Amino acid sequence: MTPRILVLPGSNRTGSFNASLAAAASVELAGQGADVNRISLVDYPLPLVDENLKNESGIPENAMKLGRLIAAHDGVFLCCPEYNSSIPPLLKNMIDWVSLINKDGDRPFKPWAGRYVALGSASNGKLGGIRGLYHVRSVMVNVGTQVISEQCAVSGAAEAFEADGRLRDERTSAMLANTCKSLIRHCTMMSTG
């Protein structure tokens, strides 16, 4: 069974380090045998989470599209920017909207439930955005995903990527490879178990 992995950068910024990490993770996952689908949140604009809006007009269509995409994959690799040692608003808003979905038409539907998630971050700082990953991990567990232990933090991100998108530093490259390997292993166990 080939695991299906959705790769999702939590930044829409032009030249985003986390979009670069998402590209590197996609290549690594595909190289390890996964069926990879990388998307950009710029294609799924969402209003800020608002209970009044939800009560008046339901879950936004782009949140439903994302929910269906997430549910169609065995795992998700989230590439998370760090804002003030925490989760950026774009990523948190998407996670929250998808977590509010509880049905698709007449059938019960919880897109995050049981999904395996790997976390990565890229930052110009020395810690590579790792402080924000503690918060992302907590939120993702709370919405019902299984967050794997392995993660990848890329420091000095402005100089971290080769022209072809690969990571320059061997240790960081090995960290990414190990995170991808673990995500694939967990997703494979889920589908065969």
Side-chain angles (χ1 to χ4, degrees), residues 59-191:
I59 300 287
E61 186 53 36
N62 278 337
M64 290 302 301
K65 286 179 183 174
L66 284 164
R68 291 179 191 119
L69 251 179
I70 290 161
H73 291 79
D74 303 302
V76 180
F77 195 117
L78 286 178
C79 299
C80 313
E82 176 190 271
Y83 286 14
N84 297 317
S85 302
S86 192
I87 310 172
L90 176 74
L91 182 60
K92 181 69 163 61
N93 194 55
M94 179 279 295
I95 293 167
D96 289 347
W97 267 124
V98 173
S99 77
L100 290 172
I101 299 170
N102 57 27
K103 62 181 180 178
D104 189 358
D106 291 335
R107 71 182 181 98
F109 184 51
K110 297 293 282 179
W112 288 124
R115 209 73 37 231
Y116 279 103
V117 173
L119 302 179
S121 61
S123 164
N124 241 353
K126 289 183 179 175
L127 296 178
I130 202 162
R131 289 175 301 185
L133 293 185
Y134 293 119
H135 294 189
V136 181
R137 181 174 294 273
S138 174
V139 169
M140 295 314 298
V141 168
N142 194 63
V143 299
T145 68
Q146 307 282 323
V147 184
I148 66 169
S149 302
E150 296 79 3
Q151 59 186 22
C152 178
V154 180
S155 58
E159 305 295 326
F161 298 93
E162 299 281 9
D164 66 2
R166 288 179 300 119
L167 285 162
R168 287 193 169 130
D169 178 65
E170 277 185 34
R171 186 176 157 275
T172 310
S173 184
M175 194 188 315
L176 177 62
N178 192 41
T179 301
C180 292
K181 181 179 178 181
S182 179
L183 180 60
I184 289 170
R185 186 177 72 247
H186 280 85
C187 290
T188 304
M189 285 187 323
M190 177 181 74
S191 58

